[in-house]
Amino acid sequence: MTKNITHHNYHISISDRRSANNHNSFLIWFTGLSGSGKSTIANRVEQELFNMGIKTYSLDGDNIRNGINKDLSFSPEDRTENIRRISEVSNLMIEAGVVTLAAFVSPYKKDRKNIRSIVKDVNFVEVYINTSVEECEKRDVKGLYKKARAGEIKNMTGISAPYEAPESPDIEIKTESSSVESAVEHIIEYITPKLQLKNE
Ligand code: ADP
């Protein structure tokens, strides 16, 4: 399908965009169970970056599942395709010079490995929001666990579908023992050196 596609050489490159912004661009990927705290923490990190003058954009279920991926279900195959498309969108964002934050359950290791290969290792920061299923169910922010227990939702991660926890994430946040503020601080501290432009 790609055989008739030729790349056009654009005059403005990724490094031009990064230089103009005066910061690097990469992807901060939040993975964890529904209700673990991904969006809450990602949102606060974005706010912090925005206030530092960094160009940012957040991708999440609301702007992706209702738009580009509205044709996809929660079956294993569709979850894989969901993550693949989000990775490709993230890659374009990175090329546009934007620090991109993505908050998705992304339960499969192989899918997260695929993100890393699409955006390239150097542009990928994996943040594991580690909250137990018991705590997520207690929070039940969106009422999804209740529905899953009642059998109204099939393929609910943590209940009737697996979550494969990252073995060596760049950052791990345990929300049951640390506050949102300390999580944000930890993430900002980790990414600050990554924001600096290197002389290429
Ligand atoms: P997700 O995006 O992972 O589905 P949300 O961020 O929507 O999860 O919901 C997480 C809920 O947990 C929010 O209501 C948030 O206020 C609460 N919460 C309690 N403690 C923490 C914490 N330390 N970090 C993040 N969220 C927390």
Side-chain angles (χ1 to χ4, degrees):
M1 216 152 57
T2 51
K3 77 174 192 285
N4 291 326
I5 295 177
T6 318
H7 278 280
H8 186 82
N9 276 331
Y10 286 94
H11 295 301
I12 308 296
S13 69
I14 180 170
S15 44
D16 293 329
R17 292 177 209 279
R18 285 171 169 172
S19 300
N21 291 343
N22 204 23
H23 63 73
N24 211 348
S25 57
F26 50 88
L27 171 64
I28 311 171
W29 187 278
F30 296 79
T31 174
L33 295 172
S34 175
S36 58
K38 301 180 297 297
S39 325
T40 303
I41 296 170
N43 238 306
R44 284 284 300 107
V45 170
E46 180 174 33
Q47 217 175 1
E48 207 64 33
L49 291 172
F50 189 86
N51 291 340
M52 287 158 69
I54 308 290
K55 304 263 184 279
T56 61
Y57 192 71
S58 286
L59 300 169
D60 67 13
D62 286 343
N63 55 26
I64 291 285
R65 283 264 182 200
N66 293 328
I68 191 173
N69 286 357
K70 68 176 168 198
D71 57 323
L72 300 177
S73 74
F74 287 86
S75 70
E77 301 74 35
D78 277 8
R79 282 180 189 254
T80 295
E81 178 60 10
N82 180 46
I83 300 303
R84 188 194 68 78
R85 289 188 203 168
I86 298 163
S87 309
E88 292 291 355
V89 170
S90 302
N91 200 35
L92 297 176
M93 293 279 184
I94 294 168
E95 282 182 21
V98 174
V99 173
T100 308
L101 300 96
F104 295 93
V105 177
S106 46
Y108 302 125
K109 263 186 208 156
K110 68 167 181 14
D111 292 345
R112 296 193 304 262
K113 205 170 146 200
N114 195 32
I115 312 165
R116 200 181 276 278
S117 80
I118 290 173
V119 305
K120 294 192 215 72
D121 199 30
V122 66
N123 295 323
F124 185 66
V125 178
E126 185 177 48
V127 183
Y128 173 29
I129 306 297
N130 185 354
T131 308
S132 67
V133 67
E134 292 76 19
E135 173 66 18
C136 292
E137 192 165 1
K138 218 183 313 166
R139 292 180 190 167
D140 209 3
V141 195
K142 298 172 191 153
L144 297 176
Y145 288 94
K146 197 162 166 233
K147 283 191 186 162
R149 292 289 181 201
E152 287 166 38
I153 299 178
K154 310 262 178 292
N155 299 324
M156 177 71 192
T157 304
I159 305 289
S160 44
Y163 179 77
E164 300 170 0
E167 271 154 29
S168 48
D170 297 296
I171 304 173
E172 179 171 355
I173 306 287
K174 296 186 173 167
T175 71
E176 284 154 274
S177 54
S178 70
S179 67
V180 175
E181 283 321 300
S182 72
V184 172
E185 224 171 273
H186 184 162
I187 296 168
I188 295 289
E189 198 177 282
Y190 182 94
I191 62 174
T192 298
K194 259 189 109 65
L195 287 167
Q196 314 303 320
L197 288 175
K198 302 216 170 55
N199 293 325
E200 285 163 5

